[in-house]
Amino acid sequence: MRLLLVLIAILALPALVVVHRQYFLNTRQESMLKKVQAALHDPLFSGIKREDISIDYLDITLRGWVPEPAVRDEARRRVITVPGVRFREVDNHLLVTPRINAALDGEKITLSGWLRDEGTRRDVTRWLQKARPGLVVNTDEIRVSPCVARVDTPVAGSSGDKIPPIFAEAWNAIRSRPVLTIIRESGGIRASGTLPSAALREALVDAVPGVDVAGLRAGAFVRQARFTHETALPAFLRSLFNSPAVDFFEAGGNSVRARGVATPELEEDWRKLISPLADDRVGTLELWVVSSLLQVPGYKPVSELAPDGLNNLRAALATALFHFDSGVHSVSALEVNLINAAAQAILAAGPAARIVAAVHLDAVGDSKLNDDSARRRAASVIAELKACGVPAAQLEPAVISVVPGPDGSDQSRCVELLVK
């Protein structure tokens, strides 16, 4: 009988093992899993979802994300305090989220956070310094740990949309708004500021010959703006600084300003060229408008006169302004004295002097008729000067736009004598 009981027990043992195993899997294992899940039910472990926690008999496996290694260690400590479970390091698959914080102070940026290895830290430093030349990068506060997830290494010169999100704060910290100032000084033309590309910087150098760009930086760290258009900006600057009487150009954000002396034709051209760079309300041209390029300060005359002789001639001709009534094309007898004084000044300057009889158009009336009348008035003044002994080779006519005089007076139908 005893032998029979032993045989029955031996035969029943596998079945009992199966039953016990099934009971453990269905009851005890589920209970231990719930205890582990409860131990990690904390906002601190928000990156560990319930489905990231699994159990195989007594062994716990964790997956998911934690903000730093200390939180990973805390998760392990809480799991091993649950009775009956085992948590091996090989089953700890929690990853620390890589993180880079950045603070910029002048030309020094301090980075902090977590990365996986030293190689990535060196790559970040090289990338930032290439994007912003001259930048000092302090990475002493970046900590390295093998439990941090891997990240794609940023590519030097890449634009903001190609940068891994964890480097976005560092990228945004080094970026700056574009600004550009070009000033004409006694020693030449000097440019300063920041532009978003080296190509635009080179285009500016080509557009403004002789410009000193030592103070002008360029690189991907500079944001784009409307005025940094790679073709419209050089085109405007080329035309603007081709004039000797432009004081400055400055742009920043959406604002663009320029100041100088221009003819009506130049003003029209500049307003067209500035329109792609800024809206009318922020694209400001501060211009003193004159009738002719010959009146623009800094104009280099064709007349080969010594500086004193040139100044004396210009001063003498400044009062030689001849007024014509509508329909009149001959110099008034009242202005004969002006003709004589002008002729004497021209003859005194010598044969090198070249004089333009510049006639202002009539501000009203038919444009074709006005042009014809203007030419007749210029010819009348030239004829009077020739009658006073001025050689014809020194005189030429020109029709110029009508603009208010220095005192605001109307100069329609006036002829003035300008040194060419």
Side-chain angles (χ1 to χ4, degrees):
M1 185 66 178
R2 182 178 297 174
L3 180 59
L4 180 60
L5 292 174
V6 171
L7 290 174
I8 292 173
I10 291 173
L11 293 172
L13 184 60
L16 291 172
V17 170
V18 171
V19 171
H20 179 74
R21 175 180 178 277
Q22 197 61 38
Y23 170 77
F24 174 80
L25 293 176
N26 293 340
T27 306
R28 295 292 299 159
Q29 182 176 256
E30 185 66 22
S31 175
M32 288 188 291
L33 177 61
K34 288 181 178 180
K35 289 180 180 179
V36 173
Q37 290 172 338
L40 298 178
H41 184 65
D42 188 304
L44 186 63
F45 308 111
S46 59
I48 306 174
K49 309 302 181 185
R50 291 180 67 87
E51 58 269 23
D52 293 333
I53 306 170
S54 61
I55 187 169
D56 183 18
Y57 293 101
L58 302 177
D59 292 322
I60 296 295
T61 299
L62 295 183
R63 291 179 172 80
W65 297 88
V66 291
E68 56 185 47
V71 178
R72 188 176 187 269
D73 294 340
E74 177 62 15
R76 180 181 183 282
R77 187 191 68 78
R78 294 196 186 187
V79 170
I80 63 177
T81 59
V82 176
V85 302
R86 184 173 64 171
F87 186 34
R88 300 174 298 179
E89 184 57 33
V90 70
D91 296 324
N92 188 350
H93 301 293
L94 294 177
L95 291 174
V96 174
T97 304
R99 182 181 77 253
I100 292 293
N101 299 321
L104 182 69
D105 183 10
E107 287 301 307
K108 179 179 180 180
I109 187 171
T110 300
L111 305 181
S112 59
W114 287 97
L115 291 175
R116 185 179 182 87
D117 53 58
E118 290 290 345
T120 304
R121 178 155 62 177
R122 288 193 297 269
D123 289 341
V124 170
T125 300
R126 285 195 294 265
W127 163 62
L128 291 174
Q129 289 177 330
K130 185 174 182 179
R132 182 165 177 164
L135 183 70
V136 177
V137 182
N138 177 15
T139 61
D140 292 345
E141 297 181 30
I142 292 182
R143 290 166 288 180
V144 174
S145 172
C147 60
V148 179
R150 295 185 183 278
V151 295
D152 295 331
T153 302
V155 179
S158 63
S159 58
D161 57 352
K162 295 181 181 179
I163 294 171
I166 71 158
F167 299 117
E169 183 175 333
W171 176 247
N172 289 329
I174 69 166
R175 303 206 73 190
S176 62
R177 64 191 292 266
V179 293
L180 176 61
T181 300
I182 305 177
I183 300 176
R184 188 189 300 275
E185 301 173 319
S186 58
I189 302 174
R190 178 174 53 84
S192 60
T194 51
L195 293 175
S197 72
L200 183 58
R201 185 177 186 270
E202 291 305 312
L204 186 150
V205 172
D206 291 338
V208 187
V211 63
D212 178 2
V213 293
L216 182 61
R217 302 173 61 197
F221 70 96
V222 183
R223 302 178 190 275
Q224 294 283 347
R226 181 168 170 176
F227 84 85
T228 60
H229 194 287
E230 292 205 354
T231 56
L233 178 61
F236 177 62
L237 294 177
R238 180 175 291 107
S239 178
L240 190 69
F241 282 94
N242 188 51
S243 169
V246 172
D247 296 331
F248 73 84
F249 168 89
E250 63 179 23
N254 295 322
S255 174
V256 175
R257 292 179 60 223
R259 186 175 67 201
V261 180
T263 63
E265 294 77 15
L266 279 177
E267 180 183 21
E268 182 180 0
D269 288 344
W270 291 349
R271 293 200 183 281
K272 290 178 181 177
L273 290 169
I274 200 175
S275 61
L277 307 179
D279 294 331
D280 290 341
R281 58 188 177 83
V282 290
T284 305
L285 289 175
E286 302 172 8
L287 302 177
W288 176 264
V289 180
V290 297
S291 302
S292 168
L293 285 174
L294 304 182
Q295 297 170 305
V296 173
Y299 164 76
K300 294 182 179 180
V302 174
S303 302
E304 297 180 354
L305 300 174
D308 288 344
L310 177 63
N311 292 334
N312 291 336
L313 179 57
R314 283 175 170 169
L317 297 181
T319 58
L321 187 64
F322 306 96
H323 299 267
F324 292 80
D325 291 332
S326 180
V328 176
H329 305 103
S330 300
V331 176
S332 169
L334 298 176
E335 295 177 326
V336 171
N337 290 337
L338 290 179
I339 288 288
N340 291 331
Q344 292 303 314
I346 296 170
L347 292 170
R354 295 290 183 271
I355 306 300
V356 174
V359 56
H360 294 263
L361 287 166
D362 199 328
V364 295
D366 180 78
S367 59
K368 185 176 181 180
L369 292 177
N370 286 345
D371 185 74
D372 180 66
S373 292
R375 295 183 186 281
R376 292 173 64 185
R377 289 170 183 136
S380 174
V381 172
I382 289 176
E384 294 291 342
L385 291 172
K386 288 166 61 177
C388 291
V390 179
Q394 291 184 250
L395 303 170
E396 65 180 84
V399 178
I400 59 178
S401 301
V402 59
V403 299
D407 58 355
S409 60
D410 181 12
Q411 297 194 98
S412 296
R413 304 178 305 279
C414 288
V415 176
E416 54 184 319
L417 300 178
L418 304 174
V419 180
K420 184 177 181 180

mmCIF file of all heavy atoms in Angstrom, residues 3 12 24 28 63 132 137 144 235 320 408:
data_model
loop_
_atom_site.group_PDB
_atom_site.id
_atom_site.type_symbol
_atom_site.label_atom_id
_atom_site.label_comp_id
_atom_site.label_asym_id
_atom_site.label_seq_id
_atom_site.Cartn_x
_atom_site.Cartn_y
_atom_site.Cartn_z
ATOM 1 N N LEU A 3 3.923 1.500 -0.980
ATOM 2 C CA LEU A 3 4.593 1.604 -2.266
ATOM 3 C C LEU A 3 3.667 2.191 -3.315
ATOM 4 O O LEU A 3 4.088 2.997 -4.160
ATOM 5 C CB LEU A 3 5.087 0.217 -2.707
ATOM 6 C CG LEU A 3 5.811 0.163 -4.061
ATOM 7 C CD1 LEU A 3 7.043 1.066 -4.047
ATOM 8 C CD2 LEU A 3 6.178 -1.287 -4.392
ATOM 9 N N ALA A 12 2.106 11.797 -9.881
ATOM 10 C CA ALA A 12 1.338 13.047 -9.800
ATOM 11 C C ALA A 12 2.222 14.282 -9.728
ATOM 12 O O ALA A 12 1.760 15.417 -9.935
ATOM 13 C CB ALA A 12 0.416 13.006 -8.573
ATOM 14 N N PHE A 24 1.310 30.116 -10.011
ATOM 15 C CA PHE A 24 2.264 31.208 -9.802
ATOM 16 C C PHE A 24 2.126 32.255 -10.919
ATOM 17 O O PHE A 24 2.106 33.465 -10.653
ATOM 18 C CB PHE A 24 3.692 30.648 -9.766
ATOM 19 C CG PHE A 24 4.750 31.720 -9.701
ATOM 20 C CD1 PHE A 24 5.055 32.334 -8.491
ATOM 21 C CD2 PHE A 24 5.427 32.131 -10.847
ATOM 22 C CE1 PHE A 24 6.008 33.325 -8.431
ATOM 23 C CE2 PHE A 24 6.384 33.127 -10.790
ATOM 24 C CZ PHE A 24 6.679 33.720 -9.573
ATOM 25 N N ARG A 28 0.517 34.710 -8.348
ATOM 26 C CA ARG A 28 1.629 35.328 -7.635
ATOM 27 C C ARG A 28 2.428 36.285 -8.525
ATOM 28 O O ARG A 28 2.775 37.387 -8.117
ATOM 29 C CB ARG A 28 2.559 34.243 -7.086
ATOM 30 C CG ARG A 28 1.914 33.373 -6.033
ATOM 31 C CD ARG A 28 1.643 34.157 -4.767
ATOM 32 N NE ARG A 28 2.906 34.663 -4.203
ATOM 33 C CZ ARG A 28 2.997 35.666 -3.376
ATOM 34 N NH1 ARG A 28 1.885 36.320 -3.030
ATOM 35 N NH2 ARG A 28 4.162 36.040 -2.897
ATOM 36 N N ARG A 63 11.970 49.127 -19.174
ATOM 37 C CA ARG A 63 12.310 49.924 -20.355
ATOM 38 C C ARG A 63 11.686 51.306 -20.171
ATOM 39 O O ARG A 63 10.852 51.493 -19.306
ATOM 40 C CB ARG A 63 11.813 49.265 -21.639
ATOM 41 C CG ARG A 63 12.557 47.989 -21.998
ATOM 42 C CD ARG A 63 12.028 47.352 -23.270
ATOM 43 N NE ARG A 63 12.856 46.250 -23.704
ATOM 44 C CZ ARG A 63 12.805 45.026 -23.194
ATOM 45 N NH1 ARG A 63 11.933 44.737 -22.234
ATOM 46 N NH2 ARG A 63 13.610 44.080 -23.654
ATOM 47 N N ARG A 132 29.547 79.644 -35.479
ATOM 48 C CA ARG A 132 29.752 81.028 -35.017
ATOM 49 C C ARG A 132 31.227 81.231 -34.694
ATOM 50 O O ARG A 132 31.661 81.035 -33.558
ATOM 51 C CB ARG A 132 28.880 81.315 -33.801
ATOM 52 C CG ARG A 132 28.982 82.742 -33.276
ATOM 53 C CD ARG A 132 27.859 83.068 -32.334
ATOM 54 N NE ARG A 132 27.997 84.393 -31.771
ATOM 55 C CZ ARG A 132 27.022 85.060 -31.155
ATOM 56 N NH1 ARG A 132 25.825 84.506 -31.038
ATOM 57 N NH2 ARG A 132 27.213 86.257 -30.665
ATOM 58 N N VAL A 137 33.246 77.945 -26.214
ATOM 59 C CA VAL A 137 32.269 76.951 -25.769
ATOM 60 C C VAL A 137 32.770 76.276 -24.499
ATOM 61 O O VAL A 137 33.830 75.634 -24.490
ATOM 62 C CB VAL A 137 32.006 75.888 -26.862
ATOM 63 C CG1 VAL A 137 30.943 74.902 -26.398
ATOM 64 C CG2 VAL A 137 31.581 76.561 -28.167
ATOM 65 N N VAL A 144 28.671 62.977 -18.747
ATOM 66 C CA VAL A 144 28.672 61.869 -19.700
ATOM 67 C C VAL A 144 28.371 60.569 -18.965
ATOM 68 O O VAL A 144 28.916 60.311 -17.890
ATOM 69 C CB VAL A 144 30.040 61.771 -20.410
ATOM 70 C CG1 VAL A 144 30.108 60.530 -21.293
ATOM 71 C CG2 VAL A 144 30.289 63.022 -21.245
ATOM 72 N N ALA A 235 22.313 94.720 -54.953
ATOM 73 C CA ALA A 235 21.899 95.608 -56.043
ATOM 74 C C ALA A 235 21.627 97.021 -55.529
ATOM 75 O O ALA A 235 22.029 98.018 -56.147
ATOM 76 C CB ALA A 235 20.665 95.039 -56.735
ATOM 77 N N ALA A 320 24.580 133.022 -60.882
ATOM 78 C CA ALA A 320 24.181 133.127 -62.288
ATOM 79 C C ALA A 320 22.980 132.232 -62.552
ATOM 80 O O ALA A 320 23.082 131.163 -63.157
ATOM 81 C CB ALA A 320 25.353 132.752 -63.198
ATOM 82 N N GLY A 408 13.646 126.682 -51.190
ATOM 83 C CA GLY A 408 12.289 126.207 -51.442
ATOM 84 C C GLY A 408 11.610 126.867 -52.621
ATOM 85 O O GLY A 408 10.441 126.598 -52.897
#
